[in-house]
Structures are given as C-alpha cells and as structure tokens.
Amino acid sequence: TSLGSTVVQIKNLTSSYDPSIPSFLNTLSSLSGKDGYWLKVNEAVTLDVDGTVPTGASISVKSGWNLVGYPRSSGEGASDELTSLGSTVVQIKNLQSSYDPSIPSFLNTLSTMAPGSGYWLKVTEEGTWTVGSVSESGSGRGLGKMGPVAKMGWGPVVVYPHVSATVLSEVSVGGKRVSEGSVVGAFVGEELRAEQEVVLANGRSYGTLNVNLTGRERVSFRIREAARGKVYRVAKVMELGLGETYGRAEELVKLNAVMAGTGVRILSYTRSPFGFSFDTGKDKSYTVVIC
C-alpha cells in the first residue's frame, strides 16, 4: 500500500492486521468499503486507495454501535443517507462530528458525509443501511448476519464507540491445543466484548481478539471447545486499555482453561499468615488465583 513501512496496525470491529507478527495471528486479510477501520501509523502519511468507487452499497447493521464505511463518490447529507434505516437511527458520528435525528438541527455538527470515511452508526435494531443506489435485490430493511457466538448461546458481541484493545494469544484447555472450530470469547462481567475462532498452526492453537471497551476494564476469557462441545473458563483476568495491544509474536498471552475434574488436591493450609500446599504433577503448570 501507499503507507509502506509506516503501518503499525489496521483493524475493524472483529479483525486486525499487524505487519510485525506471523501471518497466522492476523485475522484481517482484505479491506471492504462497507466497513470502517482504525489505522495506526508511526508517522504522518497520506493513504491512497485504488479501485472503482461504487454507486452505492447495502450494509448490514446490528442493534447498537456499528463501525461502517461510506462507499460513495460524493458526499450527501447525513439525514438523507440514513433514510433507509427509518426511525431506528440513534446517532452517526466520526472523530469530529455527529448527527442525532432527535435533537435540534443546530446541535448537529455532521451535515455532509465524507466519501471513503468511517463512521460509528448506532441503531435500535438489526437492518440494512442502503447507501446510494444499489442493484442487489432486497436492498431494503433486512437482517444482519449472525456470528458464530450467537449460535453458541453467548449472545451478540457488545460494541462501544471506542478503539478496541487487541489480545494476541495462545489458546489451550488443560495445557493442550484446542480443536478446529473452537472459539475464544472475552467478557466484562457477563457481557461479551469479543469472540474469535481459533487458528491452528505449528501444532498449537491461537486467537487474536479485538476486545471492545468503555475505558480501562478487567476482562475474563472463555473457550468453547468444538470437539467436546463444552465451554471452559480461563483463570487469567486482564486489565485492558483502549487501543492497546497485549502479547507479541515471541511472547503471546497464554489463555489456558482448566478442565473440570483436573483440579489439584490441597494438602494443608494456614489462615494467618495465609498459606497452603497442594499436589503437583510432572510437566504440569498451575495458576493460583487469590480472590
């Protein structure tokens, strides 16, 4: 690309690309005009994008915040462009301006939308945003695609209009790699903030998570093991910050879940000062969490 070696990271709500890490940790392989992206560079640079500008597009949106693109050759007014979503629109904004149909016009700072820009769009229900003129059949209101986690009973990922944190991890259950099709999820309390199907490589399993945050938050993890059809909790709890990356190619974050029935036997303990001893096994690792 025109950005050359200045690229540090590119990501949208679910996927990311970092040129400094192995390819199997990158989950973003191509860019779409329908999506918005966060782009981090190490110096000021101009991004040149080649390709044909479409006359319009149909973009699936879900209830809550969506990071969308604006694939148009010329900018139109925000209120006109959002007509296809009807009364479901709560707000649309970029880094500088915003439009809210429920407030007086003089309070809205987003009047004309900029072609090629990314926007945060909040709606009250799933639907299809029709931008410009499209030739696809059924381009009116419709249902967005349901991700794999919704099928697992975790529900949809909750999104907030902030840059996410990225966690580069090695995923395991009982110290062993998980099977193909397994999924790792990140939670704040019981709220799902990220989910990603694992990648198998080099005899191990990996997951790159873009975790949605409201600020600095404590995040826990769960693994849905496909072969066993079970969900396991990871003991590790991390405090994550907006826009930060955790883990690197040579030292990934270890997300290891302990299988039920594989706990250790406490041999003795004292209350004051607190202490305890337990059985250990050969070639096994243990995580002690004090609550």
Side-chain angles (χ1 to χ4, degrees):
T1 72
S2 61
L3 297 176
S5 60
T6 64
V7 175
V8 177
Q9 190 180 44
I10 303 173
K11 60 183 172 182
N12 57 16
L13 291 179
T14 58
S15 308
S16 63
Y17 169 77
D18 180 337
S20 70
I21 64 177
S23 59
F24 60 83
L25 289 174
N26 282 315
T27 52
L28 181 64
S29 58
S30 61
L31 303 179
S32 170
K34 296 182 179 183
D35 293 330
Y37 297 89
W38 288 100
L39 172 62
K40 184 178 182 179
V41 293
N42 55 28
E43 62 182 68
V45 66
T46 300
L47 171 62
D48 297 320
V49 180
D50 296 326
T52 302
V53 179
T55 57
S58 293
I59 302 175
S60 295
V61 295
K62 68 173 187 176
S63 177
W65 287 105
N66 300 264
L67 184 55
V68 297
Y70 184 57
R72 294 273 269 156
S73 58
S74 60
E76 301 292 337
S79 60
D80 294 331
E81 285 289 30
L82 296 170
T83 301
S84 62
L85 291 171
S87 61
T88 67
V89 176
V90 178
Q91 188 181 38
I92 187 168
K93 62 182 177 180
N94 57 18
L95 295 179
Q96 297 85 28
S97 308
S98 65
Y99 169 78
D100 180 337
S102 69
I103 63 176
S105 59
F106 61 82
L107 292 176
N108 283 313
T109 53
L110 178 61
S111 54
T112 302
M113 298 181 65
S117 295
Y119 291 89
W120 284 106
L121 171 62
K122 188 177 185 180
V123 293
T124 57
E125 62 182 72
E126 292 182 335
T128 300
W129 181 29
T130 303
V131 183
S133 59
V134 294
S135 59
E136 297 97 334
S137 60
S139 60
R141 295 289 301 281
L143 292 178
K145 295 181 179 178
M146 181 177 290
V149 167
K151 299 176 183 178
M152 296 174 192
W154 282 348
V157 174
V158 178
V159 176
Y160 293 92
H162 308 290
V163 60
S164 60
T166 300
V167 179
L168 307 175
S169 66
E170 182 180 343
V171 180
S172 58
V173 173
K176 298 181 180 180
R177 81 170 193 177
V178 298
S179 61
E180 185 176 2
S182 297
V183 171
V184 57
F187 294 79
V188 174
E190 291 299 313
E191 199 169 72
L192 179 66
R193 298 292 186 85
E195 57 90 10
Q196 186 66 48
E197 185 171 326
V198 301
V199 174
L200 305 183
N202 306 322
R204 299 180 180 181
S205 47
Y206 305 91
T208 299
L209 288 162
N210 282 350
V211 183
N212 292 282
L213 303 168
T214 61
R216 291 199 70 84
E217 293 187 280
R218 288 175 60 80
V219 177
S220 61
F221 303 89
R222 302 175 195 174
I223 299 167
R224 199 275 185 177
E225 222 295 338
R228 299 186 182 97
K230 295 182 178 180
V231 174
Y232 300 94
R233 292 178 180 264
V234 176
K236 179 187 290 290
V237 176
M238 300 179 65
E239 184 174 286
L240 306 183
L242 297 173
E244 297 294 331
T245 296
Y246 300 85
R248 53 186 188 275
E250 60 274 17
E251 190 177 352
L252 299 173
V253 174
K254 305 295 185 182
L255 297 181
N256 179 50
V258 178
M259 297 174 61
T262 59
V264 297
R265 183 168 64 92
I266 302 297
L267 298 178
S268 64
Y269 73 93
T270 58
R271 292 183 180 274
S272 181
F274 176 76
F276 66 94
S277 62
F278 59 90
D279 273 336
T280 60
K282 183 179 180 181
D283 298 326
K284 292 183 178 292
S285 60
Y286 302 88
T287 301
V288 177
V289 179
I290 307 298
C291 299

